[in-house]
Coordinates of all heavy atoms in Angstrom, one line a residue:
M15 N -11.8 -10.8 4.6 CA -11.7 -11.8 5.7 C -10.9 -13.0 5.2 O -10.7 -13.2 4.1 CB -13.1 -12.2 6.2 CG -13.9 -13.0 5.2 SD -15.6 -13.4 5.8 CE -16.5 -11.9 5.2
I16 N -10.4 -13.8 6.2 CA -9.5 -14.9 5.9 C -9.8 -16.1 6.8 O -10.1 -15.9 8.0 CB -8.0 -14.4 5.9 CG1 -7.1 -15.5 5.4 CG2 -7.7 -14.0 7.3 CD1 -5.8 -14.9 4.9
K17 N -9.7 -17.3 6.2 CA -10.0 -18.5 7.1 C -8.8 -18.9 7.8 O -7.6 -19.0 7.3 CB -10.4 -19.6 6.2 CG -11.1 -20.8 6.9 CD -11.2 -22.0 6.1 CE -12.4 -21.9 5.2 NZ -12.5 -23.2 4.4
V18 N -8.9 -19.2 9.1 CA -7.8 -19.6 10.0 C -8.2 -20.7 10.9 O -9.4 -21.0 11.0 CB -7.4 -18.4 10.9 CG1 -6.9 -17.2 10.0 CG2 -8.5 -17.9 11.9
K19 N -7.2 -21.2 11.6 CA -7.5 -22.1 12.7 C -6.5 -21.8 13.9 O -5.4 -21.3 13.6 CB -7.4 -23.6 12.3 CG -6.1 -24.0 11.8 CD -6.2 -25.4 11.1 CE -5.6 -26.5 12.0 NZ -5.5 -27.8 11.3
N20 N -7.0 -22.1 15.1 CA -6.1 -21.9 16.2 C -4.9 -22.8 16.3 O -5.0 -24.0 15.9 CB -6.9 -22.1 17.5 CG -7.8 -20.9 17.8 OD1 -7.3 -19.7 17.9 ND2 -9.1 -21.1 18.1
L21 N -3.8 -22.3 16.8 CA -2.6 -23.1 17.1 C -2.7 -23.4 18.6 O -2.9 -22.5 19.4 CB -1.4 -22.4 16.7 CG -1.1 -22.2 15.2 CD1 -0.2 -21.0 15.0 CD2 -0.5 -23.5 14.7
K22 N -2.5 -24.7 18.9 CA -2.6 -25.0 20.3 C -1.2 -25.1 21.0 O -0.3 -25.5 20.4 CB -3.2 -26.4 20.4 CG -4.7 -26.4 20.1 CD -5.5 -25.4 21.0 CE -6.9 -25.2 20.5 NZ -7.5 -24.1 21.2
G23 N -1.1 -24.7 22.2 CA 0.1 -24.7 23.0 C 1.1 -23.9 22.5 O 2.3 -24.2 22.5
T24 N 0.8 -22.8 21.9 CA 1.8 -21.9 21.3 C 1.8 -20.5 21.9 O 2.2 -19.5 21.3 CB 1.5 -21.8 19.8 OG1 0.1 -21.4 19.7 CG2 1.7 -23.0 19.1
A25 N 1.4 -20.4 23.1 CA 1.4 -19.1 23.8 C 2.8 -18.4 23.7 O 2.9 -17.2 23.3 CB 1.0 -19.1 25.3
G26 N 3.8 -19.2 23.9 CA 5.2 -18.6 23.7 C 5.5 -17.4 24.6 O 4.7 -17.0 25.4
R27 N 6.7 -17.0 24.5 CA 7.1 -15.8 25.2 C 6.7 -14.5 24.5 O 7.0 -14.4 23.3 CB 8.6 -15.8 25.4 CG 9.2 -14.9 26.5 CD 10.6 -15.2 26.8 NE 11.5 -15.1 25.6 CZ 11.9 -14.0 25.2 NH1 11.7 -12.8 25.8 NH2 12.7 -13.9 24.1
V28 N 6.1 -13.6 25.2 CA 5.7 -12.3 24.6 C 7.0 -11.6 24.2 O 7.9 -11.5 25.0 CB 4.9 -11.5 25.5 CG1 4.5 -10.2 25.0 CG2 3.6 -12.3 25.9
P29 N 7.1 -11.0 23.0 CA 8.3 -10.3 22.6 C 8.6 -9.1 23.6 O 7.7 -8.6 24.2 CB 7.9 -9.7 21.2 CG 6.8 -10.6 20.8 CD 6.1 -11.0 22.0
N30 N 9.9 -8.9 23.7 CA 10.4 -7.8 24.6 C 9.7 -6.5 24.3 O 9.5 -6.2 23.1 CB 11.9 -7.6 24.5 CG 12.7 -8.7 25.1 OD1 12.2 -9.4 26.0 ND2 13.9 -8.9 24.7
G31 N 9.3 -5.8 25.3 CA 8.7 -4.5 25.1 C 7.2 -4.5 25.1 O 6.5 -3.5 25.0
Y32 N 6.6 -5.8 25.2 CA 5.1 -5.9 25.2 C 4.7 -6.6 26.4 O 5.3 -7.6 26.8 CB 4.7 -6.6 23.9 CG 5.1 -5.9 22.7 CD1 6.2 -6.3 22.0 CD2 4.4 -4.8 22.1 CE1 6.7 -5.6 20.8 CE2 4.8 -4.1 21.0 CZ 6.0 -4.6 20.4 OH 6.4 -3.9 19.2
D33 N 3.5 -6.3 27.0 CA 2.9 -7.0 28.1 C 2.1 -8.2 27.8 O 1.9 -9.1 28.6 CB 2.1 -6.0 28.9 CG 2.8 -4.9 29.6 OD1 4.0 -5.1 29.9 OD2 2.3 -3.8 29.8
S34 N 1.7 -8.3 26.5 CA 0.8 -9.4 26.1 C 0.9 -9.4 24.6 O 1.2 -8.5 23.9 CB -0.6 -9.2 26.6 OG -1.2 -8.0 25.9
W35 N 0.4 -10.6 24.1 CA 0.2 -10.7 22.6 C -0.8 -9.8 22.1 O -0.8 -9.4 20.9 CB -0.1 -12.2 22.3 CG 1.1 -13.1 22.4 CD1 1.3 -14.1 23.3 CD2 2.2 -13.1 21.5 NE1 2.5 -14.7 23.1 CE2 3.1 -14.1 22.0 CE3 2.6 -12.4 20.4 CZ2 4.4 -14.4 21.4 CZ3 3.8 -12.6 19.8 CH2 4.7 -13.7 20.2
L36 N -1.8 -9.4 22.9 CA -2.8 -8.5 22.5 C -2.2 -7.1 22.3 O -2.4 -6.4 21.3 CB -3.9 -8.4 23.5 CG -5.2 -7.7 23.1 CD1 -5.8 -8.4 21.9 CD2 -6.2 -7.6 24.2
E37 N -1.3 -6.7 23.2 CA -0.6 -5.4 23.1 C 0.3 -5.4 21.8 O 0.4 -4.4 21.1 CB 0.2 -5.1 24.3 CG 0.8 -3.8 24.3 CD 1.7 -3.5 25.5 OE1 1.3 -3.9 26.7 OE2 2.8 -3.0 25.4
Y38 N 0.9 -6.6 21.6 CA 1.8 -6.7 20.4 C 1.0 -6.5 19.1 O 1.4 -5.8 18.3 CB 2.4 -8.1 20.4 CG 3.2 -8.5 19.3 CD1 4.6 -8.2 19.2 CD2 2.7 -9.3 18.3 CE1 5.3 -8.5 18.1 CE2 3.5 -9.7 17.2 CZ 4.8 -9.3 17.1 OH 5.5 -9.7 16.0
W39 N -0.2 -7.2 19.1 CA -1.0 -7.0 17.9 C -1.4 -5.5 17.7 O -1.4 -5.0 16.6 CB -2.3 -7.8 18.0 CG -3.2 -7.7 16.8 CD1 -3.2 -8.5 15.7 CD2 -4.3 -6.8 16.7 NE1 -4.2 -8.0 14.8 CE2 -4.9 -7.0 15.4 CE3 -4.8 -5.8 17.5 CZ2 -5.9 -6.2 14.9 CZ3 -5.9 -5.0 17.0 CH2 -6.4 -5.2 15.8
E40 N -1.8 -4.9 18.8 CA -2.2 -3.5 18.7 C -1.1 -2.6 18.2 O -1.3 -1.7 17.3 CB -2.6 -2.9 20.1 CG -3.9 -3.5 20.5 CD -4.3 -3.1 21.9 OE1 -3.4 -2.9 22.8 OE2 -5.5 -2.9 22.2
A41 N 0.2 -2.8 18.6 CA 1.3 -2.0 18.2 C 1.6 -2.2 16.7 O 1.8 -1.3 16.0 CB 2.5 -2.4 19.1
K42 N 1.5 -3.5 16.3 CA 1.9 -3.8 14.9 C 0.7 -3.4 13.9 O 0.9 -3.0 12.8 CB 2.2 -5.2 14.7 CG 3.4 -5.7 15.6 CD 4.7 -5.0 15.1 CE 5.9 -5.6 15.9 NZ 7.1 -5.0 15.5
A43 N -0.5 -3.6 14.5 CA -1.7 -3.3 13.6 C -2.0 -1.8 13.6 O -2.7 -1.3 12.7 CB -2.9 -4.1 14.1
G44 N -1.5 -1.1 14.6 CA -1.7 0.4 14.7 C -3.1 0.7 15.0 O -3.7 1.7 14.6
Q45 N -3.8 -0.2 15.9 CA -5.1 0.1 16.3 C -5.4 -0.6 17.6 O -4.7 -1.6 18.0 CB -6.2 -0.4 15.3 CG -6.1 -1.8 14.9 CD -7.0 -2.2 13.7 OE1 -8.1 -2.5 13.9 NE2 -6.4 -2.2 12.5
R46 N -6.4 -0.2 18.3 CA -6.8 -0.8 19.6 C -7.6 -2.0 19.3 O -8.4 -2.0 18.4 CB -7.6 0.2 20.5 CG -6.7 1.3 21.1 CD -6.0 0.9 22.3 NE -6.9 0.7 23.4 CZ -6.4 0.3 24.7 NH1 -5.1 0.0 24.8 NH2 -7.3 0.2 25.7
A47 N -7.4 -3.1 20.2 CA -8.3 -4.2 20.1 C -9.6 -3.9 20.9 O -9.5 -3.7 22.1 CB -7.6 -5.4 20.6
T48 N -10.7 -3.9 20.2 CA -11.9 -3.5 20.8 C -13.0 -4.6 20.7 O -14.0 -4.6 21.4 CB -12.5 -2.2 20.3 OG1 -12.7 -2.3 18.9 CG2 -11.6 -1.1 20.6
K49 N -12.8 -5.5 19.8 CA -13.8 -6.6 19.5 C -13.1 -7.8 19.0 O -12.0 -7.8 18.4 CB -14.8 -6.1 18.5 CG -14.3 -5.9 17.1 CD -15.3 -5.3 16.2 CE -16.3 -6.4 15.6 NZ -15.6 -7.3 14.7
C50 N -13.8 -8.9 19.3 CA -13.4 -10.2 18.7 C -13.4 -10.1 17.2 O -14.4 -9.7 16.6 CB -14.2 -11.4 19.2 SG -13.9 -13.0 18.5
M51 N -12.3 -10.6 16.6 CA -12.2 -10.4 15.1 C -12.8 -11.6 14.3 O -12.8 -11.6 13.1 CB -10.7 -10.3 14.7 CG -10.0 -9.1 15.4 SD -10.6 -7.5 14.6 CE -9.4 -7.4 13.3
R52 N -13.4 -12.6 15.1 CA -14.0 -13.6 14.3 C -15.3 -13.1 13.7 O -16.1 -12.4 14.3 CB -14.4 -14.8 15.2 CG -15.1 -15.9 14.4 CD -15.4 -17.2 15.2 NE -16.4 -17.0 16.2 CZ -17.8 -17.0 15.9 NH1 -18.1 -17.3 14.6 NH2 -18.7 -16.9 16.9
V53 N -15.4 -13.4 12.4 CA -16.6 -13.0 11.7 C -17.8 -13.6 12.3 O -17.9 -14.8 12.4 CB -16.5 -13.4 10.1 CG1 -17.8 -13.0 9.4 CG2 -15.3 -12.7 9.5
G54 N -18.8 -12.7 12.7 CA -20.0 -13.2 13.3 C -20.0 -13.2 14.8 O -21.1 -13.5 15.4
C55 N -18.9 -13.0 15.4 CA -18.8 -12.9 16.9 C -19.1 -11.5 17.3 O -18.7 -10.5 16.7 CB -17.5 -13.3 17.4 SG -17.4 -13.4 19.2
S56 N -19.9 -11.3 18.4 CA -20.3 -10.0 18.9 C -19.6 -9.6 20.2 O -20.0 -8.6 20.8 CB -21.8 -10.0 19.1 OG -22.2 -11.0 20.0
V57 N -18.6 -10.4 20.7 CA -17.9 -10.0 21.9 C -17.1 -8.8 21.7 O -16.3 -8.7 20.8 CB -17.1 -11.2 22.3 CG1 -16.2 -10.8 23.5 CG2 -17.9 -12.4 22.8
T58 N -17.3 -7.9 22.6 CA -16.5 -6.6 22.6 C -15.9 -6.4 24.0 O -16.2 -7.1 24.9 CB -17.4 -5.4 22.2 OG1 -18.4 -5.3 23.2 CG2 -18.1 -5.5 20.9
G59 N -15.0 -5.4 24.0 CA -14.3 -5.1 25.3 C -13.0 -5.7 25.3 O -12.8 -6.9 25.2
R60 N -12.0 -4.8 25.4 CA -10.6 -5.3 25.4 C -10.3 -6.4 26.5 O -9.5 -7.3 26.3 CB -9.6 -4.1 25.6 CG -8.2 -4.4 25.3 CD -7.4 -3.2 25.5 NE -6.0 -3.4 25.0 CZ -5.1 -4.0 25.8 NH1 -5.3 -4.4 26.9 NH2 -3.8 -4.1 25.3
A61 N -11.0 -6.2 27.7 CA -10.7 -7.2 28.7 C -11.1 -8.6 28.4 O -10.8 -9.6 29.1 CB -11.4 -6.7 30.0
N62 N -12.0 -8.7 27.4 CA -12.5 -10.0 27.1 C -11.8 -10.7 25.9 O -12.2 -11.7 25.5 CB -14.0 -9.9 26.6 CG -14.9 -9.3 27.8 OD1 -14.8 -9.8 28.9 ND2 -15.8 -8.4 27.4
L63 N -10.7 -10.1 25.5 CA -10.0 -10.5 24.4 C -8.5 -11.0 24.7 O -7.9 -10.6 25.7 CB -9.8 -9.4 23.3 CG -11.1 -8.7 22.9 CD1 -10.8 -7.5 22.0 CD2 -12.0 -9.7 22.2
V64 N -8.1 -11.9 23.9 CA -6.7 -12.4 24.0 C -6.1 -12.3 22.6 O -6.7 -12.2 21.6 CB -6.6 -13.9 24.4 CG1 -7.2 -14.0 25.8 CG2 -7.3 -14.8 23.5
G65 N -4.7 -12.2 22.6 CA -4.0 -12.2 21.3 C -3.8 -13.6 20.9 O -2.8 -14.3 21.3
A66 N -4.6 -14.1 20.1 CA -4.6 -15.6 19.8 C -3.6 -15.9 18.7 O -3.4 -15.1 17.7 CB -6.0 -16.0 19.3
H67 N -3.0 -17.0 18.8 CA -2.1 -17.6 17.7 C -2.9 -18.4 16.7 O -3.6 -19.3 17.1 CB -1.1 -18.5 18.3 CG 0.0 -17.7 19.1 ND1 -0.2 -17.1 20.3 CD2 1.3 -17.6 18.9 CE1 0.9 -16.6 20.7 NE2 1.9 -16.8 19.9
V68 N -2.9 -18.0 15.5 CA -3.6 -18.7 14.4 C -2.7 -19.0 13.2 O -1.6 -18.4 13.1 CB -4.9 -17.9 14.0 CG1 -5.8 -17.7 15.1 CG2 -4.5 -16.6 13.4
K69 N -3.2 -19.8 12.3 CA -2.5 -20.2 11.1 C -3.5 -20.0 10.0 O -4.7 -20.4 10.2 CB -2.0 -21.6 11.2 CG -1.1 -22.1 10.1 CD -0.6 -23.5 10.4 CE 0.2 -24.1 9.4 NZ 0.6 -23.4 8.2
K70 N -3.1 -19.4 8.9 CA -4.0 -19.4 7.7 C -4.2 -20.8 7.2 O -3.3 -21.5 7.0 CB -3.4 -18.5 6.7 CG -3.3 -17.0 7.1 CD -2.6 -16.1 6.0 CE -2.5 -14.7 6.5 NZ -1.7 -13.9 5.5
V71 N -5.5 -21.1 6.8 CA -5.8 -22.4 6.3 C -5.5 -22.6 4.9 O -5.0 -23.7 4.5 CB -7.3 -22.7 6.6 CG1 -7.7 -24.0 6.0 CG2 -7.5 -22.7 8.2
D72 N -5.8 -21.7 4.1 CA -5.7 -21.9 2.6 C -4.5 -21.3 2.0 O -4.3 -21.4 0.8 CB -6.9 -21.2 1.9 CG -8.3 -21.9 2.3 OD1 -8.2 -23.2 2.6 OD2 -9.3 -21.3 2.4
I73 N -3.6 -20.8 2.8 CA -2.3 -20.2 2.3 C -1.2 -20.9 3.0 O -1.1 -20.8 4.3 CB -2.3 -18.7 2.6 CG1 -3.4 -18.0 1.8 CG2 -0.9 -18.1 2.2 CD1 -3.6 -16.6 2.2
Y74 N -0.3 -21.6 2.4 CA 0.7 -22.4 3.0 C 2.0 -21.6 3.2 O 3.0 -21.9 2.5 CB 0.9 -23.7 2.2 CG -0.4 -24.5 2.2 CD1 -1.3 -24.5 1.2 CD2 -0.7 -25.3 3.3 CE1 -2.4 -25.2 1.2 CE2 -1.9 -26.0 3.4 CZ -2.8 -26.0 2.3 OH -3.9 -26.7 2.3
D75 N 1.9 -20.6 4.0 CA 3.1 -19.8 4.2 C 3.8 -20.2 5.5 O 4.9 -19.7 5.8 CB 2.8 -18.3 4.2 CG 1.9 -17.9 5.3 OD1 1.5 -18.8 6.2 OD2 1.4 -16.7 5.3
N76 N 3.2 -21.2 6.3 CA 3.9 -21.6 7.5 C 4.1 -20.6 8.5 O 4.9 -20.8 9.4 CB 5.2 -22.4 7.1 CG 5.0 -23.9 7.0 OD1 4.1 -24.4 7.5 ND2 5.8 -24.5 6.2
K77 N 3.5 -19.4 8.4 CA 3.7 -18.4 9.5 C 2.6 -18.5 10.5 O 1.5 -19.0 10.2 CB 3.7 -17.0 8.8 CG 4.9 -16.7 8.0 CD 4.8 -15.3 7.5 CE 6.0 -14.9 6.6 NZ 5.6 -13.8 5.6
W78 N 3.0 -18.1 11.7 CA 2.0 -17.9 12.8 C 1.6 -16.4 12.8 O 2.4 -15.6 12.7 CB 2.6 -18.4 14.1 CG 2.9 -19.8 14.1 CD1 2.7 -20.7 13.2 CD2 3.5 -20.5 15.3 NE1 3.1 -22.0 13.7 CE2 3.7 -21.8 14.9 CE3 4.0 -20.1 16.5 CZ2 4.3 -22.8 15.7 CZ3 4.6 -21.0 17.4 CH2 4.7 -22.3 17.0
Y79 N 0.3 -16.2 13.1 CA -0.2 -14.9 13.2 C -0.9 -14.6 14.5 O -1.4 -15.6 15.2 CB -1.2 -14.6 12.1 CG -0.5 -14.7 10.7 CD1 -0.4 -15.9 10.0 CD2 0.0 -13.5 10.1 CE1 0.1 -15.9 8.7 CE2 0.5 -13.5 8.9 CZ 0.7 -14.8 8.2 OH 1.2 -14.8 7.0
I80 N -1.0 -13.4 14.9 CA -1.8 -13.0 16.1 C -3.0 -12.2 15.6 O -3.0 -11.4 14.7 CB -0.9 -12.0 17.0 CG1 0.4 -12.7 17.4 CG2 -1.8 -11.6 18.2 CD1 0.2 -13.9 18.2
V81 N -4.1 -12.6 16.3 CA -5.4 -11.9 16.0 C -6.2 -11.8 17.3 O -6.2 -12.8 18.0 CB -6.2 -12.5 14.8 CG1 -6.7 -13.9 15.2 CG2 -7.3 -11.6 14.3
P82 N -6.8 -10.7 17.6 CA -7.7 -10.6 18.8 C -8.9 -11.5 18.7 O -9.7 -11.4 17.8 CB -8.0 -9.2 18.9 CG -7.1 -8.4 18.1 CD -6.7 -9.4 16.9
L83 N -9.0 -12.4 19.7 CA -10.2 -13.3 19.8 C -10.7 -13.3 21.2 O -10.0 -13.1 22.1 CB -9.9 -14.8 19.4 CG -9.5 -15.0 17.9 CD1 -9.2 -16.5 17.8 CD2 -10.6 -14.6 16.9
C84 N -12.0 -13.6 21.3 CA -12.6 -13.8 22.7 C -12.1 -15.2 23.2 O -11.6 -16.0 22.5 CB -14.1 -13.7 22.7 SG -14.9 -15.0 21.7
Q85 N -12.3 -15.4 24.5 CA -11.8 -16.6 25.1 C -12.5 -17.9 24.4 O -11.8 -18.9 24.2 CB -12.2 -16.6 26.6 CG -11.6 -15.5 27.4 CD -10.1 -15.8 27.7 OE1 -9.5 -16.9 27.4 NE2 -9.4 -14.8 28.3
A86 N -13.8 -17.8 24.1 CA -14.4 -18.9 23.5 C -13.9 -19.2 22.1 O -13.6 -20.4 21.8 CB -15.9 -18.6 23.5
D87 N -13.6 -18.2 21.4 CA -13.1 -18.4 20.0 C -11.7 -18.8 20.0 O -11.2 -19.5 19.1 CB -13.3 -17.2 19.1 CG -14.8 -17.1 18.7 OD1 -15.4 -18.1 18.5 OD2 -15.3 -15.9 18.6
N88 N -11.0 -18.5 21.1 CA -9.6 -18.9 21.2 C -9.5 -20.4 21.5 O -8.4 -21.0 21.3 CB -8.9 -18.1 22.3 CG -7.4 -18.4 22.4 OD1 -6.7 -18.5 21.4 ND2 -6.9 -18.5 23.6
M89 N -10.6 -21.0 21.9 CA -10.6 -22.4 22.2 C -11.2 -23.3 21.1 O -11.3 -24.5 21.1 CB -11.5 -22.7 23.5 CG -11.0 -21.9 24.7 SD -9.3 -22.3 25.2 CE -9.6 -23.9 25.9
R90 N -11.6 -22.6 20.0 CA -12.2 -23.3 18.8 C -11.2 -24.3 18.2 O -10.0 -23.9 18.1 CB -12.7 -22.4 17.7 CG -13.9 -21.5 18.2 CD -14.2 -20.5 17.1 NE -14.9 -21.2 16.0 CZ -16.3 -21.1 15.9 NH1 -17.0 -20.4 16.8 NH2 -16.9 -21.8 15.0
T91 N -11.7 -25.4 17.8 CA -10.9 -26.4 17.1 C -11.2 -26.5 15.6 O -10.5 -27.2 14.9 CB -11.0 -27.8 17.8 OG1 -12.3 -28.2 17.7 CG2 -10.5 -27.8 19.2
D92 N -12.2 -25.8 15.2 CA -12.6 -25.8 13.7 C -11.9 -24.7 13.0 O -11.1 -23.9 13.6 CB -14.1 -25.8 13.6 CG -14.7 -24.6 14.2 OD1 -14.0 -23.8 14.9 OD2 -15.9 -24.3 13.9
E93 N -12.2 -24.6 11.8 CA -11.7 -23.5 10.9 C -12.8 -22.4 10.9 O -14.0 -22.7 10.9 CB -11.3 -24.0 9.5 CG -10.3 -25.0 9.5 CD -10.1 -25.7 8.2 OE1 -10.9 -25.4 7.2 OE2 -9.2 -26.5 8.1
F94 N -12.3 -21.1 10.9 CA -13.3 -20.0 10.9 C -12.7 -18.8 10.3 O -11.5 -18.7 10.1 CB -13.7 -19.7 12.4 CG -12.6 -19.5 13.4 CD1 -12.2 -18.2 13.6 CD2 -11.9 -20.5 14.0 CE1 -11.1 -17.9 14.5 CE2 -10.9 -20.3 14.8 CZ -10.4 -19.0 15.1
F95 N -13.6 -17.9 10.0 CA -13.1 -16.6 9.3 C -12.9 -15.5 10.4 O -13.6 -15.4 11.3 CB -14.2 -16.2 8.3 CG -14.2 -17.0 7.0 CD1 -15.1 -18.1 6.9 CD2 -13.3 -16.8 6.0 CE1 -15.1 -18.8 5.8 CE2 -13.3 -17.5 4.9 CZ -14.2 -18.6 4.7
V96 N -11.8 -14.8 10.1 CA -11.5 -13.6 10.9 C -11.3 -12.3 10.0 O -11.0 -12.5 8.8 CB -10.3 -13.8 11.8 CG1 -10.5 -14.8 12.8 CG2 -9.0 -14.0 10.9
Y97 N -11.5 -11.2 10.5 CA -11.2 -10.0 9.8 C -9.7 -9.7 10.0 O -9.1 -10.0 11.0 CB -12.0 -8.8 10.4 CG -13.5 -8.9 10.2 CD1 -14.4 -9.2 11.2 CD2 -14.1 -8.8 8.9 CE1 -15.8 -9.3 11.0 CE2 -15.4 -8.9 8.7 CZ -16.3 -9.2 9.7 OH -17.6 -9.3 9.5
E98 N -9.2 -9.0 9.0 CA -7.8 -8.6 9.1 C -7.7 -7.2 9.7 O -8.7 -6.6 9.8 CB -7.2 -8.6 7.6 CG -7.3 -10.1 7.1 CD -6.6 -10.2 5.7 OE1 -5.4 -10.2 5.7 OE2 -7.3 -10.2 4.7
P99 N -6.5 -6.8 10.2 CA -5.2 -7.4 9.9 C -4.9 -8.6 10.9 O -5.2 -8.6 12.0 CB -4.3 -6.3 10.1 CG -4.9 -5.4 11.2 CD -6.4 -5.6 10.9
L100 N -4.1 -9.5 10.3 CA -3.4 -10.5 11.1 C -1.9 -10.0 11.2 O -1.4 -9.4 10.2 CB -3.4 -11.9 10.4 CG -4.7 -12.5 10.1 CD1 -4.4 -13.9 9.5 CD2 -5.6 -12.6 11.3
V101 N -1.3 -10.1 12.4 CA 0.0 -9.7 12.5 C 0.9 -10.9 12.7 O 0.7 -11.7 13.6 CB 0.1 -8.8 13.8 CG1 1.6 -8.5 14.1 CG2 -0.6 -7.5 13.6
P102 N 2.0 -11.0 11.8 CA 2.9 -12.2 12.0 C 3.5 -12.2 13.4 O 3.9 -11.1 13.9 CB 3.9 -11.9 10.8 CG 3.2 -11.0 9.9 CD 2.3 -10.2 10.7
V103 N 3.8 -13.3 13.9 CA 4.4 -13.4 15.2 C 5.8 -12.8 15.2 O 6.2 -12.2 16.2 CB 4.5 -14.9 15.6 CG1 5.4 -15.1 16.8 CG2 3.1 -15.4 16.0
N104 N 6.5 -12.9 14.1 CA 7.8 -12.3 14.1 C 7.9 -11.1 13.2 O 8.7 -10.9 12.3 CB 8.8 -13.3 13.5 CG 9.0 -14.5 14.5 OD1 9.3 -14.3 15.6 ND2 8.8 -15.7 14.0
A105 N 6.9 -10.2 13.4 CA 6.8 -9.0 12.5 C 7.9 -8.0 12.9 O 8.3 -7.9 14.1 CB 5.4 -8.3 12.8
Ligands
ZN1 ZN1 -15.3 -14.3 19.6

């Protein structure tokens, strides 16, 4: 797991060929999004998830990453742990 925080106001344009950031994550990660990836969160169901933009907290690589989160965790302003994989926005 890895510690991250949400990036605000960074929804941006979904890359060509994808309907959503969630679909983008699925394609690059090679798996379906079925649960919120925040450690300790029990929200499941693809319809309850978004492809959230996050930044790694302890690694200063300046990259933005996508990870499936529930709506509530997508609104968090603190730092929290998620399970990998994270998919870089410009993968
Ligand atoms: Zn969650």
Side-chain angles (χ1 to χ4, degrees):
M15 64 183 95
I16 188 158
K17 194 194 283 183
V18 300
K19 60 193 256 187
N20 281 309
L21 289 157
K22 290 299 169 196
T24 51
R27 194 169 60 83
V28 177
N30 286 339
Y32 302 98
D33 290 334
S34 67
W35 285 109
L36 193 62
E37 185 185 318
Y38 175 83
W39 180 89
E40 290 177 324
K42 300 293 185 182
Q45 58 187 274
R46 289 279 286 178
T48 58
K49 64 183 281 292
C50 176
M51 299 289 272
R52 180 175 71 80
V53 176
C55 185
S56 59
V57 171
T58 59
R60 192 178 187 279
N62 299 318
L63 305 175
V64 298
H67 287 66
V68 300
K69 188 174 177 9
K70 294 177 182 176
V71 170
D72 295 326
I73 300 172
Y74 298 97
D75 63 6
N76 266 335
K77 287 183 183 154
W78 294 357
Y79 294 89
I80 303 298
V81 68
L83 293 179
C84 66
Q85 299 282 355
D87 284 327
N88 188 39
M89 303 302 285
R90 293 177 77 98
T91 57
D92 60 347
E93 299 172 353
F94 54 95
F95 286 95
V96 296
Y97 295 108
E98 298 187 76
L100 303 182
V101 171
V103 166
N104 294 307

